[in-house]
Amino acid sequence: MSVSAVAADRSVCAPLPVLGRDVRVPLVTGGEVDYAALDYAASAPALQRVWDDVAAYAPYYGSVHRGAGYLSQLSTDLFENSRRTIAEFLGCGAEDQVVFTRSTTDSLNLLASVLPQDTRVFVFETEHHASLLPWEQRADVTVTYLNAPRTPQQAVDTLEKALAERDPYGPALVCVTGASNVTGELWPVRELAAAAHAHGARIVLDAAQLVPHHPVDIAELDVDWVAFSGHKLYAPFGAGVLAGRADWLQAAAPYLAGGGASRKVSRRTDGGVDVEWHSTAARHEAGSPNVIGAYAIASACQALTEAGFEDLAAREQTLITRVRAGLAEVPEVNLLSLFGEDAARVGVFSFVVEGWNSSHFAAALSAEYGIGVRDGLFCAHPLVRTLLGSEPQDPGECGAPEAAPGERSLNAIRVSVGVGTPDEHVDRFLRAVKELVTNGARWNYQTEDGRCVPARSAV
């Protein structure tokens, strides 16, 4: 069998090929195995299509908006065409802006920086830190943290009540996730948007975990902004997007001051400078643009669209059903959920295993089965604490176990899938869970530098 045939065979049943599908990793018990990347929620592997598109462009890389030469003009066209591709992918209107950022975190910090003075922000405690923390960086903005709802309707009712009771009645912003990075559960975005608009508030959707799994349309969801990261959408190179209404973006000072954001700069007679800032997305894109990052996102958007995003989402649901059914067969596994086991979700699951430190369990999945998952609090500490029934002061932090292997610690295990996940990876994961719970680990583990790792000797 040829090398290409082997690679194709290893990715069987995965709708879109990704980089790393043919990577072999060693096992502590001996031998090698195809690496099962089941940590898509942290950083999804790059689509092969994205990598090929970027590689084809790389020889033509040049400055953007800054040169008269052929490569500069080509790179500028590629950059702006990428913006249009993403706008179409998100269903943006003609008046909406697509601003390129570094990540979801950067996008939401940008939005926080342009909020009108005395804006009231409403955010559920269940958010990822990227959408939970940026707002309090503004001293003239008031943040209201809403308790974790236990049903989608309770989320809507909680928001309705909070918005109705706000005083004074001024500019307001609601920030909500589309799909939880901890539970994968879908939030009632349309209903929350309707509630926000009914009370004169705007709404920003943190789509970091939604957009890789499900079509996102700004007009259909009736949200004012969407924020997401390329590295969640199978597109590396450190770029993100904030897309939506232009008025607050145009009215505020630039996120960063510098070249690209300024349209005209002149000296004043008093020795200072006068600046005329751009009113386009360039206003908040100072510095040399990340053209490769922007193009990678656009390439991923095109690949998902051409493959049939609805079909990809339907196939993912079969994997979701398989994971849920498989974990349900292991009584010691407790799947974390806000809205109940029947709640609609994307392919993201978090769980704890009775009698296991979660970091120990994750380390065994990696070392003994070649399966990559995430353990910790997933940069959503208040939510995971709520789901684990802990007190706010209980110890625990992202990715760092505080207990020895076998002891309980305040963290969980997360497994996540996507368009590049073969059926075999899911089957291996479920088999590994059952074997570890039934037979225990086959190797000794210890904590080093805050991580649970294999010791030098077997059990």
Side-chain angles (χ1 to χ4, degrees), residues 17-99:
V18 295
L19 294 181
R21 62 190 181 276
D22 53 355
V23 168
R24 304 281 287 179
V25 296
L27 303 180
V28 292
T29 51
E32 293 183 340
V33 68
D34 289 348
Y35 182 66
L38 296 181
D39 194 16
Y40 277 59
S43 282
L47 290 178
Q48 184 69 56
R49 155 74 178 273
V50 170
W51 194 261
D52 292 344
D53 283 349
V54 168
Y57 160 67
Y60 302 93
Y61 173 78
S63 62
V64 175
H65 296 151
R66 286 162 172 77
Y70 178 80
L71 297 190
S72 178
Q73 293 298 306
L74 186 149
S75 294
T76 298
D77 287 345
L78 187 76
F79 186 69
E80 293 303 333
N81 284 334
S82 296
R83 197 190 306 275
R84 286 187 282 272
T85 296
I86 295 166
E88 182 178 352
F89 181 76
L90 295 173
C92 293
E95 301 302 317
D96 290 332
Q97 287 188 350
V98 173
V99 181

Side-chain angles (χ1 to χ4, degrees), residues 25-32 363-364 366-370 442-445 453-458:
V25 296
L27 303 180
V28 292
T29 51
E32 293 183 340
S366 175
E368 300 178 28
Y369 295 91
R442 291 173 288 172
W443 205 263
N444 286 320
Y445 294 84
V453 298
R456 294 184 178 181
S457 60

Side-chain angles (χ1 to χ4, degrees), residues 101-122:
T101 66
R102 295 177 297 172
S103 60
T104 308
T105 302
D106 197 34
S107 295
L108 293 171
N109 275 271
L110 163 58
L111 185 60
S113 77
V114 306
L115 296 180
Q117 187 175 356
D118 298 324
T119 296
R120 294 286 300 274
V121 176
F122 297 83

Side-chain angles (χ1 to χ4, degrees), residues 237-414:
F237 307 111
V241 167
L242 177 67
R245 294 184 63 157
D247 54 349
W248 284 3
L249 294 167
Q250 292 174 342
Y255 185 43
L256 297 173
S262 55
R263 184 174 180 273
K264 183 172 66 175
V265 180
S266 57
R267 289 292 301 274
R268 295 195 305 263
T269 56
D270 64 3
V273 295
D274 287 321
V275 184
E276 181 182 335
W277 304 107
H278 280 294
S279 60
T280 63
R283 185 184 190 89
H284 299 290
E285 294 177 345
S288 296
N290 181 0
V291 58
I292 287 182
Y295 182 43
I297 294 176
S299 173
C301 292
Q302 287 181 315
L304 293 170
T305 300
E306 292 169 6
F309 210 163
E310 295 288 356
D311 293 337
L312 297 175
R315 188 262 176 176
E316 183 177 302
Q317 286 302 314
T318 66
L319 296 183
I320 291 171
T321 299
R322 186 179 304 183
V323 171
R324 293 174 73 165
L327 292 179
E329 294 176 358
V330 187
E332 293 83 356
V333 170
N334 177 26
L335 192 64
L336 304 184
S337 173
L338 268 177
F339 299 152
E341 61 182 39
D342 295 328
R345 67 168 69 223
V346 298
V348 179
F349 309 83
S350 293
F351 61 96
V352 293
V353 183
E354 183 180 339
W356 283 80
N357 173 312
S358 293
S359 294
H360 182 203
F361 199 89
L365 286 174
S366 175
E368 300 178 28
Y369 295 91
I371 298 170
V373 299
R374 172 86 182 269
D375 65 279
L377 300 178
F378 318 125
C379 294
H381 295 192
L383 172 56
V384 179
R385 292 178 189 278
T386 295
L387 295 174
L388 294 179
S390 74
E391 296 298 324
Q393 68 273 15
D394 284 351
E397 59 180 279
C398 265
E402 282 78 29
E407 297 179 2
R408 182 184 183 278
S409 62
L410 183 59
N411 56 1
I413 306 149
R414 184 180 71 189

Side-chain angles (χ1 to χ4, degrees), residues 131-291:
S131 47
L132 188 73
L133 302 180
W135 321 108
E136 286 195 347
Q137 305 306 304
R138 288 276 303 272
D140 57 348
V141 166
T142 302
V143 186
T144 298
Y145 295 104
L146 306 175
N147 293 334
R150 285 300 185 169
T151 66
Q153 185 58 52
Q154 188 179 64
V156 177
D157 294 342
T158 298
L159 179 62
E160 287 261 15
K161 185 174 186 294
L163 289 171
E165 293 177 349
R166 79 181 191 270
D167 183 34
Y169 190 91
L173 176 72
V174 176
C175 180
V176 67
T177 188
S180 170
N181 77 302
V182 176
T183 68
E185 292 167 316
L186 296 175
W187 278 63
V189 177
R190 290 187 190 86
E191 292 81 0
L192 291 168
H197 293 152
H199 291 277
R202 299 189 183 189
I203 183 168
V204 56
L205 172 64
D206 175 353
Q209 297 296 340
L210 182 62
V211 73
H213 303 276
H214 194 281
V216 172
D217 187 291
I218 284 180
E220 182 182 349
L221 294 174
D222 197 25
V223 294
D224 297 282
W225 293 278
V226 167
F228 70 92
S229 296
H231 75 101
K232 309 287 190 188
L233 192 66
Y234 316 102
F237 307 111
V241 167
L242 177 67
R245 294 184 63 157
D247 54 349
W248 284 3
L249 294 167
Q250 292 174 342
Y255 185 43
L256 297 173
S262 55
R263 184 174 180 273
K264 183 172 66 175
V265 180
S266 57
R267 289 292 301 274
R268 295 195 305 263
T269 56
D270 64 3
V273 295
D274 287 321
V275 184
E276 181 182 335
W277 304 107
H278 280 294
S279 60
T280 63
R283 185 184 190 89
H284 299 290
E285 294 177 345
S288 296
N290 181 0
V291 58

